[in-house]
Amino acid sequence: MPLHVPPAPAPALRSVLTALGSPTAVREARTPSLRAAQGPATPELPLPVHVLDRITPQGLSATRLAGWRFLIRCGERAVAAADSMLTPDGWAFSHFFEGPYIPSTERALQQAEALQQPYQPRLLSVPGLYMLTLWLHGDTTADAAEGHPAPSDLLVPLAPAPPGISAHRPYQVAELLPVLTHRATPVKLLGSPA
């Protein structure tokens, strides 16, 4: 089934296109692959980036939209990514970056394309666990800027994943939630205040 990639806000895309067209922005980026890229660099596969700040024993807290991420493709592969963020003045370019999450995101998206059910792809960051997942939301018509993971949605941890959580294995939210809750709950030490 094809993924239903939501359209990014036009100003977010424009901010990334402007940064890509700026020799100063590209030269100052800490992305050797982007600086060394031959040929045109194009932003593709816009994904909303949601942040999950709290996980409680009762479940997931609401997520908040932190920005939009675009994979930057040169030729046959993505060489970097660009993030845009919402500011009081609207959408603005944030930064370019590269690293293991770029090929991991591509791999997870390819895996998701092979699934039988249609999904709306998003990224879900869990800062408390230093974890990023591809969030496959079952409601393909939902506003990509809102919501929280439904129990039947899939989360595909990107590599590197936290110890004990398999990267690139699709988990239903209801299956992964107990693991995340256990990991995110601070352990009380003997002799510590209650």
Side-chain angles (χ1 to χ4, degrees):
M1 283 281 160
L3 293 176
H4 295 266
V5 178
L13 176 58
R14 275 195 306 273
S15 73
V16 170
L17 289 169
T18 300
L20 278 172
S22 165
T24 304
V26 172
R27 188 172 48 252
E28 291 179 4
R30 291 189 172 99
T31 55
S33 295
L34 186 58
R35 286 194 312 266
Q38 300 294 318
T42 57
E44 295 182 354
L45 292 169
L47 297 172
V49 180
H50 291 262
V51 176
L52 179 64
D53 290 317
R54 282 191 6 243
I55 304 169
T56 67
Q58 293 76 33
L60 302 174
S61 67
T63 64
R64 62 181 167 81
L65 181 67
W68 282 80
R69 178 163 298 163
F70 298 81
L71 294 181
I72 306 300
R73 186 167 301 282
C74 289
E76 296 293 316
R77 65 185 189 94
V79 296
D83 277 1
S84 63
M85 62 182 187
L86 190 57
T87 69
D89 295 325
W91 287 99
F93 171 73
S94 175
H95 63 282
F96 293 114
F97 66 95
E98 62 183 74
Y101 285 135
I102 308 302
S104 187
T105 301
E106 281 193 305
R107 178 179 170 191
L109 287 166
Q110 288 169 353
Q111 286 177 292
E113 282 284 351
L115 297 174
Q116 297 301 311
Q117 181 178 338
Y119 289 101
Q120 181 189 82
R122 304 170 174 195
L123 292 173
L124 180 66
S125 173
V126 187
L129 298 176
Y130 302 100
M131 181 178 177
L132 184 64
T133 70
L134 178 64
W135 168 15
L136 299 173
H137 191 49
D139 182 357
T140 60
T141 62
D143 181 348
E146 297 180 3
H148 64 278
S152 60
D153 285 354
L154 296 180
L155 297 176
V156 182
L158 301 181
I165 297 175
S166 298
H168 297 286
R169 178 183 179 263
Y171 293 90
Q172 280 196 334
V173 169
E175 176 188 4
L176 189 57
L177 180 60
V179 176
L180 298 180
T181 303
H182 176 71
R183 293 284 181 91
T185 305
V187 177
K188 292 186 178 167
L189 301 175
L190 291 175
S192 66

